[in-house]
Amino acid sequence: MDHQHPQQPPRRISKLRVASGGETARDPVCGMIISVAEAAGQHVHEGVTYYFCNLGCLEKFRREPARYLNPAAAPEPMTAAVSSIAVAATYTCPMHPEVSRDRPGPCPICGMALEPRQITIDEGPNPELVDMTRRFWFAAALSLPLLIIDMAALWQDQPWLQVLLATPVVLGAGWPLLKRAWTSVVSRQPNMFTLIGLGTGAAFGFSVVAWLFPDRLPAAFAMHGGSGHPPLYFESAAVITTLVLLGQVLELRARGATGGAIRALLGLAPKTARVIQPTGGETDVALTDVHPGDLLRVRPGERVPTDGVVIEGQSAVDESMLSGEPLPVVKAPGARIIGATINGSGGFVMRADRVGADSVLGQIVRLVGEAQRSRAPIQRLADRVSAVFVPAVVVVAALAFVAWWLVPGGPEPRLPHALVAAVSVLIIACPCALGLATPMSIMVAAGRGASAGVLIKNAETLERLAAVDTLVVDKTGTLTEGKPRLATIKSAGVSDGELVRLAATVERGSEHPLAGALVSAAQERGISLTATQEWESIPGKGVIGSVEGRRVAVGSRALLDELKIDVGSLRLDAEALRADGQTVVFVAVAARVVGLLGIADQIRPTSAAALQTLRAQGLRIVMLTGDSRGTADVVARKLGITDVRAELLPAQKAEEVRRMQKSGAVVAMAGDGVNDAPALAAAAVGIAMGSGADVAMESAGITLVKSDLSGVVRARILAQATMRNIRQNLWLAFVYNALGIPLAAGALYPLFGVVLGPMVASAAMSLSSVSVIANALRLRSLSLVEKP
């Protein structure tokens, strides 16, 4: 034992006095609160006595006491999404995610306003939306009298009134539109604002020239309306500007709604947490002041402050806002718990493990932000069209002007009608809807997936998942819970409870996963464990110890053979359990077998139904596992999996995935462990369980917050719906332009004598963008439950 001079008291004080008057202690290694009388061991460090739940924790503490008495500093807070701390923001373009700036402003490629890359809950109103809304109402207030004057034909003798009303609209309220148009010309990146600038500029510029220098225009213009004066299009330029501003306002509002699901999710995080102090007192602190290792009390009805592990108490927790699972999940000591979930009627104490950016909520913010700014391969189609679209529209507008001017049979005067046709083509053909078709669907889908516990790394993953025809699954931690549990008790000469007590008491000093399963089983049954003397571990076989003066051996058949203890009739029971995939542990007291325990990695309750649904969707299911052939076959038989490949190393798993893909299959791989990472990276789509290893999640394109295959069902439904939505958007954008441009050029005039004016073209152009965004927003209400 260490006996050194006293120093500053450690952050964790070992002993606590509980309400009942009994004395408890907190294991400084695992954080478990235990009875001092039932502690597996104790150790004095710097004058303080610490108590331990098992001998493994004692040995860890003995080697590195400072590691457990001085936890690492807390990670950086998650961002303003959960805290009010300001963070350095970056801004990007919704249509060109490769653009990144440290301040807001127009995109240098398309001219659209840059948006913050990080979604936050307290970001306040969108400054561009506020500015555009103000400009729209100002423009509308001046454009309405212009329309009235035009309809009443009052402008003929008072053109200055038009100039007075239109100029503030076009050059004032519409200045951002003209500025973006000019930027597109200077940067040689033609876009929607190029066409808007050409259209409004042509209408307003011509009107200014016609007003100031009417005698310098061709005589054909003077025939307008029989007035002898050239036509003025001030009202058209003003109304076009007003309608474009209205379209910008509607678009910005709709784009803001794409992050609504994430903001709602972020809003679930509590602002404070109740921390249990080392002295036993409790204090409410800001969530940003919670550190890993802190003990937190969660009362009934409260939201869980951050990710961690339940230390004491039990409750049912509603995880639906993160996992999509509607039923509450029972949380007992040792259970993992996720921040922002809702506690039920029970209270419990938890140890904070991951806070801030490292928490599940923090990872959601990061992953969704990255996914929303990524580009799907299908976007290349829109990119190729957009690259030649604006120059083509300018050519069409020029041809429309020439046709209306030179082709006989058109309305008189020809030049004014030619100008109207050209401006209408320029306005109606703005490619905003085409550019927004894919990004809007991806942004909404990423948010919808996050609210259902499906975290998508990028848009390409969604597109690939929609085409997957083969699902490869790992066994341990994916099909099964990945945590051995006591499944069978077969006693001989003692009660079941006594058998579990003896086995767990001796195994408490071991770090083997099977030992943990026995200790957990005793805790779940409320069985008190006693101290063990003369404890000894036999590597690969089991453990031996003295309990209450009796020699107890717990282990495999090989251990009992070594101790020359006959298993008797329990041999047949052991063989039956092994055939069912269970690991058998014998328990002997005083050289006599008193029973056996069957331990198994339980199949997740949702695995069978999820696999059935995936098969109904047309997917082929393959199991790849490193476990033994016998264990793999047992699980596969229960789940109806016929293609099983067992006893594989990590590299062999990846090679199997590559082999399937070479044969033409589109493979998705679902796994959770470090050994699954190579296969996850090799698959077309890697799907990682959220409870698994970090390297698995980094290798995967999709992470499931709730670690079961029902998340794969939700992810696939979302992927297929998103791709349908994108195709619908592209179809809307293409059809709109295919019909709109000929109509604006005058295709209806020969048949019906109808001319589509610039104002109608402007309204149609704004409506096209809004319709695409509205269609994308339908994904927010998408049901991710497979219909029977």
Side-chain angles (χ1 to χ4, degrees), residues 581-667:
Q582 298 186 33
T583 300
V584 176
V585 175
F586 290 95
V587 181
V589 178
R592 182 175 70 87
V593 174
V594 295
L596 59 80
L597 302 169
I599 300 174
D601 184 4
Q602 301 289 335
I603 295 175
R604 293 186 186 274
T606 56
S607 292
L611 290 176
Q612 184 177 355
T613 301
L614 291 168
R615 290 191 194 96
Q617 292 179 351
L619 267 66
R620 168 193 174 201
I621 309 298
V622 180
M623 180 198 292
L624 298 184
T625 178
D627 283 358
S628 66
R629 166 61 66 175
T631 302
D633 285 342
V634 169
V635 173
R637 184 174 64 252
K638 292 180 179 180
L639 293 175
I641 301 175
T642 57
D643 193 342
V644 181
R645 307 173 195 186
E647 301 177 357
L648 299 177
L649 297 174
Q652 292 174 317
K653 285 186 178 182
E655 184 57 36
E656 288 289 335
V657 169
R658 294 189 189 97
R659 186 178 296 115
M660 283 183 258
Q661 292 186 141
K662 287 179 181 178
S663 67
V666 182
V667 178

Side-chain angles (χ1 to χ4, degrees), residues 559-581:
L559 175 64
L560 269 61
D561 289 344
E562 182 176 314
L563 298 176
K564 296 182 171 51
I565 299 175
D566 184 21
V567 299
S569 61
L570 291 177
R571 177 177 57 82
L572 298 177
D573 295 300
E575 292 175 356
L577 292 180
R578 291 192 190 98
D580 192 44

Side-chain angles (χ1 to χ4, degrees), residues 485-504:
R485 293 182 180 274
L486 179 60
T488 303
I489 303 175
K490 183 70 174 179
S491 56
V494 297
S495 67
D496 288 356
E498 178 66 6
L499 183 66
V500 173
R501 185 183 76 88
L502 291 171

Side-chain angles (χ1 to χ4, degrees), residues 132 136 192 240-255 432 762-763 765-767 769-770 773:
M132 286 295 180
F136 163 71
M192 61 172 286
I240 289 171
T241 300
T242 302
L243 290 173
V244 171
L245 289 172
L246 174 61
Q248 290 291 294
V249 170
L250 295 176
E251 180 184 315
L252 287 166
R253 284 182 178 175
R255 277 161 53 189
C432 185
S762 179
M765 179 271 295
S766 299
L767 216 57
S769 298
V770 174
I773 298 175

